[in-house]
Amino acid sequence: MQVGNARYLKPQDLPDILPVMPLTGVLLLPGAQLPLNIFEPRYLAMFDDALAGNRLIGMVQPSFSEGHVESPQGSLVALCQIGCVGRITSFTEIEDGRYIVSLTGICRFRLFEEAHVTKGYRSFRIAPFAADLTTPDEEAQVDREALLAAFKAYLDANKLEADWESVGRASNTTLVNSMAMMSPYGPAEKQALLEAPDLKTRAETLIAITEIVLARSFGDFETRLQ
């Protein structure tokens, strides 16, 4: 995986301990980009430290099933066990003190024990998903026609428009990951998309979630595909 001017080819190319930023409903996927508006002092400190070091941040969601966990630092919000490592590839400092940052996803990771809390932000030992660092050709495995049909049905049901020329030019990987990250679905659905083992499964999961949402909100989904 090439991100910016850095290459990540094996788990050993990533740190054992990673600072993490918990955000509900926010999804970062390998190879995709996530814009962030940073304003909390603890996360400003996190990004300062990352910029001075390896430029790596872990994005993860708060847990859906657990409220808090006990740690040497006291009671802390429980986190989902799987997140995604991102590298800071764009950075702008605003006059009011905010940072406008773009993270590029490198690979997913599993959280192990919490390492420490520094300057208010949390760090964990992680186990990277080695398979995410390779570049298998998964393009042909995606049912692009079914994915676009579900996307169009959702847009039509919500009276929304899309730039179909740009959609037509996008690769299957870009299309699936962009739609997954920008989808208006809830935190549990976003986590399911993150944890999908491959691109084909992620596309199928996205289609299934869209079908469920349309069926619940607008009635018979099948009629919208015709």
Side-chain angles (χ1 to χ4, degrees), residues 114-198:
E114 186 151 4
H116 50 74
V117 175
T118 303
K119 303 177 185 177
Y121 66 81
R122 302 165 69 181
S123 296
F124 284 78
R125 293 191 179 279
I126 65 163
F129 284 30
D132 288 350
L133 299 175
T134 62
T135 54
D137 185 6
E138 300 179 309
E139 290 282 314
Q141 300 176 25
V142 173
D143 188 340
R144 186 182 181 98
E145 183 177 347
L147 182 66
L148 290 178
F151 181 45
K152 185 177 187 304
Y154 184 89
L155 293 177
D156 290 346
N158 289 277
K159 297 181 173 57
L160 299 173
E161 297 291 336
D163 181 354
W164 289 105
E165 183 177 347
S166 296
V167 170
R169 291 196 303 266
S171 68
N172 285 347
T173 299
T174 299
L175 193 63
V176 172
N177 289 344
S178 297
M179 289 173 63
M181 289 178 60
M182 294 187 296
S183 65
Y185 304 135
E189 289 79 9
K190 290 291 183 77
Q191 193 67 23
L193 292 166
L194 174 67
E195 296 184 15
D198 51 47

Side-chain angles (χ1 to χ4, degrees), residues 9-225:
L9 303 178
K10 55 188 183 301
Q12 292 77 12
D13 293 332
L14 294 162
D16 293 331
I17 297 176
L18 189 71
V20 301
M21 185 174 185
L23 282 178
T24 300
V26 174
L27 176 62
L28 175 63
L29 292 168
Q33 291 191 328
L34 174 68
L36 291 171
N37 180 7
I38 310 299
F39 55 88
E40 287 190 52
R42 57 180 168 169
Y43 295 127
L44 291 171
M46 173 193 286
F47 276 81
D48 281 340
D49 291 345
L51 285 166
N54 56 25
R55 296 189 172 222
L56 300 180
I57 296 289
M59 296 302 301
V60 66
Q61 291 199 92
S63 173
F64 319 125
S65 57
E66 299 179 76
H68 290 76
V69 295
E70 294 302 321
S71 77
Q73 291 80 32
S75 180
L76 299 172
V77 174
L79 304 178
C80 290
Q81 291 303 295
I82 296 177
C84 186
V85 183
R87 178 178 172 87
I88 301 171
T89 49
S90 176
F91 167 81
T92 302
E93 187 171 7
I94 308 302
E95 291 182 358
D96 61 8
R98 291 179 296 123
Y99 293 164
I100 305 299
V101 175
S102 180
L103 291 183
T104 300
I106 297 172
C107 73
R108 293 168 296 170
F109 63 82
R110 186 176 299 275
L111 289 179
F112 286 138
E113 74 271 19
E114 186 151 4
H116 50 74
V117 175
T118 303
K119 303 177 185 177
Y121 66 81
R122 302 165 69 181
S123 296
F124 284 78
R125 293 191 179 279
I126 65 163
F129 284 30
D132 288 350
L133 299 175
T134 62
T135 54
D137 185 6
E138 300 179 309
E139 290 282 314
Q141 300 176 25
V142 173
D143 188 340
R144 186 182 181 98
E145 183 177 347
L147 182 66
L148 290 178
F151 181 45
K152 185 177 187 304
Y154 184 89
L155 293 177
D156 290 346
N158 289 277
K159 297 181 173 57
L160 299 173
E161 297 291 336
D163 181 354
W164 289 105
E165 183 177 347
S166 296
V167 170
R169 291 196 303 266
S171 68
N172 285 347
T173 299
T174 299
L175 193 63
V176 172
N177 289 344
S178 297
M179 289 173 63
M181 289 178 60
M182 294 187 296
S183 65
Y185 304 135
E189 289 79 9
K190 290 291 183 77
Q191 193 67 23
L193 292 166
L194 174 67
E195 296 184 15
D198 51 47
L199 189 69
K200 177 178 181 291
T201 307
R202 184 170 296 132
E204 291 170 348
T205 302
L206 187 57
I207 292 168
I209 292 171
T210 303
E211 289 177 349
I212 292 169
V213 169
L214 287 173
R216 287 176 177 172
S217 302
F218 301 102
D220 186 4
F221 174 73
E222 292 297 328
T223 62
R224 296 180 182 276
L225 296 180

